[in-house]
């Protein structure tokens, strides 16, 4: 299931009301920043059909709560702009403010093209970069969304393809020989295993997880003891595959989702932040780069943008040369 988070504004008698559809990291961050911008008099409702938290949701395995997805870092300059209350009406304008034309060029380059252009070798890309990118990406899935009853109509800008990812958490004892090592399990302390794109490999990555809340005296056990492992794969792991990977296990939790956009250059387009008067698409920024931090950045931009449009503060929207201007103000 793909959750497209929308922030919808409508009038009430005394004050604007806000509906946030979707309570993942983006939706919950949007609600927080909307409250920060509009203050306590505005009514904010958040709607979610599943688990609150999205990729931040945890899973209980054994005695511990464990994270269900990866957390990836993003970029810095945008935080300064948002701290001063500036917002952007499109992904292109936001990216241009962060890094100029060269930053926009990356939108329509593959990672391979960009890194080869910087002098990295193909061997490095195949053996190091490809395994890292395989951690979170799998096969493509299709997302369809339509908006009816709007005048003027809302065009369908969405590229619509997402990578399908299966995240499988297993509490058990790892079969280290499955990874091709002859090291004794009692001495195997590797916490993250990446894989190359080779035929017959069922997983994209395998990671040893620590609990979300670290108890006093906790020490990460070696592979000879039962613990929680997380496997990312493009397909659901079969019982036979799990039995090959683990000597024994007692708990398995699987989450399958269309997790990340499928980036397809050239001339890749991004959806707009503003879909209609008082209707906002929370996270078009994920079509430039997708991670939880980027969802929070996009959510704050939408909250600022909605606030400035509501109060007709055009001077806080799509301003140029912010880096130079703010450096002079500091």
């Amino acid at each position: 299931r793909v959750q497209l988070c929308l922030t919808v504004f409508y009038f009430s008698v005394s004050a604007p009301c806000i509906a946030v559809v979707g309570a993942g990291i983006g939706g919950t961050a949007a609600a927080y920043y909307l409250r920060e911008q509009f203050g306590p008099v505005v009514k904010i409702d958040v709607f979610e059909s599943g688990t609150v938290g999205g990729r931040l949701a945890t899973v209980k395995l054994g005695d511990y709560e464990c994270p269900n997805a990866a957390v990836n870092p993003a970029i810095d300059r945008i935080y300064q702009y948002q701290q001063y209350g500036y917002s952007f009406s499109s992904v292109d304008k936001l990216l241009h403010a962060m890094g100029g034309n060269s930053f926009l060029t990356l939108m329509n380059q593959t990672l391979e093209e960009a890194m080869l252009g910087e002098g990295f070798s193909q061997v490095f890309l195949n053996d190091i970069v490809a395994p890292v990118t395989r951690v979170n990406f799998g096969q493509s899935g299709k997302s369809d969304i339509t908006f009816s009853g709007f005048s003027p109509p809302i065009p369908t800008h969405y590229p619509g393809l997402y990578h399908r990812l299966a995240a499988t958490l297993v509490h058990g004892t790892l079969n280290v020989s499955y990874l091709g090592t002859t090291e004794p399990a009692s001495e195997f302390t590797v916490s993250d295993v990446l894989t190359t794109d080779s035929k017959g490999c069922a997983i994209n990555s395998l990671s040893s997880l620590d609990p979300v809340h670290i108890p006093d005296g906790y020490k990460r056990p070696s592979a000879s003891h039962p613990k929680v492992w997380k496997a990312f794969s493009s397909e659901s792991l079969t019982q036979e595959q799990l039995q090959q990977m683990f000597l024994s296990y007692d708990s398995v939790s699987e989450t399958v989702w269309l997790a990340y956009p499928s980036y397809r250059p050239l001339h890749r387009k991004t959806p707009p932040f503003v879909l209609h008067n008082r209707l906002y698409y929370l996270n078009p920024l994920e079509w430039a780069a997708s991670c939880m931090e980027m969802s929070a950045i996009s959510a704050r931009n939408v909250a600022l943008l909605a606030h400035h449009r509501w109060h007709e503060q055009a001077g806080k929207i799509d301003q140029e040369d912010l880096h130079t201007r703010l450096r002079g103000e500091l």
Side-chain angles (χ1 to χ4, degrees):
R1 180 169 65 95
V2 177
Q3 296 179 335
L4 293 180
C5 235
L6 308 177
T7 308
V8 185
F9 290 77
Y10 57 98
F11 286 102
S12 70
V13 175
S14 58
C17 298
I18 303 172
V20 181
V21 183
I25 177 61
T28 51
Y32 174 85
Y33 289 121
L34 285 164
R35 175 65 69 207
E36 183 178 79
Q37 291 299 310
F38 283 89
V41 297
V42 175
K43 185 175 186 292
I44 300 176
D45 292 307
V46 180
F47 298 88
E48 171 58 57
S49 62
T51 302
V52 172
R55 282 183 268 179
L56 281 180
T58 59
V59 174
K60 185 75 178 289
L61 279 186
D63 296 328
Y64 302 122
E65 280 189 69
C66 300
N68 199 32
V71 180
N72 303 316
I75 3 185
D76 281 337
R77 187 178 293 179
I78 186 61
Y79 291 115
Q80 187 181 31
Y81 300 160
Q82 292 184 334
Q83 180 183 348
Y84 281 83
Y86 290 101
S87 63
F88 302 90
S89 62
S90 71
V91 173
D92 284 357
K93 290 178 179 178
L94 187 152
L95 294 177
H96 188 269
M98 293 172 65
N101 292 330
S102 59
F103 213 61
L104 284 173
T105 301
L106 295 175
M107 281 279 293
N108 291 304
Q109 279 188 313
T110 64
L111 180 60
E112 182 179 52
E113 290 169 343
M115 294 193 70
L116 287 175
E118 293 294 326
F120 290 91
S121 70
Q122 189 68 56
V123 172
F124 179 82
L125 294 179
N126 293 343
D127 292 349
I128 304 298
V129 178
V132 171
T133 59
R134 275 172 53 81
V135 170
N136 291 336
F137 294 96
Q139 68 187 35
S140 293
K142 180 70 175 171
S143 169
D144 297 306
I145 184 170
T146 58
F147 300 92
S148 59
F150 286 89
S151 180
I154 298 175
T156 303
H157 291 294
Y158 304 100
L161 289 175
Y162 283 76
H163 286 279
R164 182 180 185 274
L165 180 70
T168 306
L169 273 62
V170 181
H171 182 261
T173 304
L174 183 68
N175 177 12
V176 295
S177 65
Y178 174 82
L179 302 175
T181 180
T182 57
E183 190 174 13
S186 58
E187 299 176 11
F188 187 84
T189 57
V190 175
S191 60
D192 294 279
V193 178
L194 307 180
T195 65
T196 57
D197 188 7
S198 57
K199 186 177 180 181
C201 185
I203 59 173
N204 297 352
S205 65
L206 182 67
S207 302
S208 169
L209 295 186
D210 292 321
V212 174
H213 306 289
I214 304 293
D216 292 338
Y218 174 82
K219 183 179 179 181
R220 179 181 293 173
S222 69
S224 61
H225 295 84
K227 58 179 176 176
V228 179
W229 295 87
K230 176 178 66 181
F232 280 153
S233 58
S234 57
E235 299 287 347
S236 296
L237 296 176
T238 65
Q239 184 175 356
E240 180 182 0
Q241 289 169 330
L242 289 173
Q243 289 173 343
Q244 292 173 349
M245 294 171 59
F246 294 91
L247 298 175
S248 62
Y249 58 89
D250 52 37
S251 302
V252 177
S253 173
E254 182 194 65
T255 302
V256 179
W257 48 25
L258 301 183
Y260 301 90
S262 177
Y263 301 117
R264 295 175 178 269
L266 295 169
H267 309 298
R268 176 154 47 97
K269 295 182 179 180
T270 57
F273 284 107
V274 183
L275 296 177
H276 203 272
N277 187 29
R278 302 178 194 148
L279 180 66
Y280 296 84
Y281 179 21
L282 174 63
N283 200 15
L285 190 55
E286 73 172 348
W287 293 95
S290 180
C291 69
M292 285 185 277
E293 188 178 357
M294 295 296 275
S295 294
I297 290 171
S298 193
R300 190 174 189 183
N301 181 70
V302 165
L304 290 166
L305 180 63
H307 175 269
H308 301 334
R309 282 166 55 88
W310 183 273
H311 293 287
E312 299 181 350
Q313 297 174 346
K316 287 288 190 177
I317 302 173
D318 295 336
Q319 296 299 302
E320 296 290 335
D321 300 321
L322 282 179
H323 185 58
T324 302
R325 185 186 309 179
L326 293 179
R327 186 168 53 191
E329 292 180 8
L330 290 175

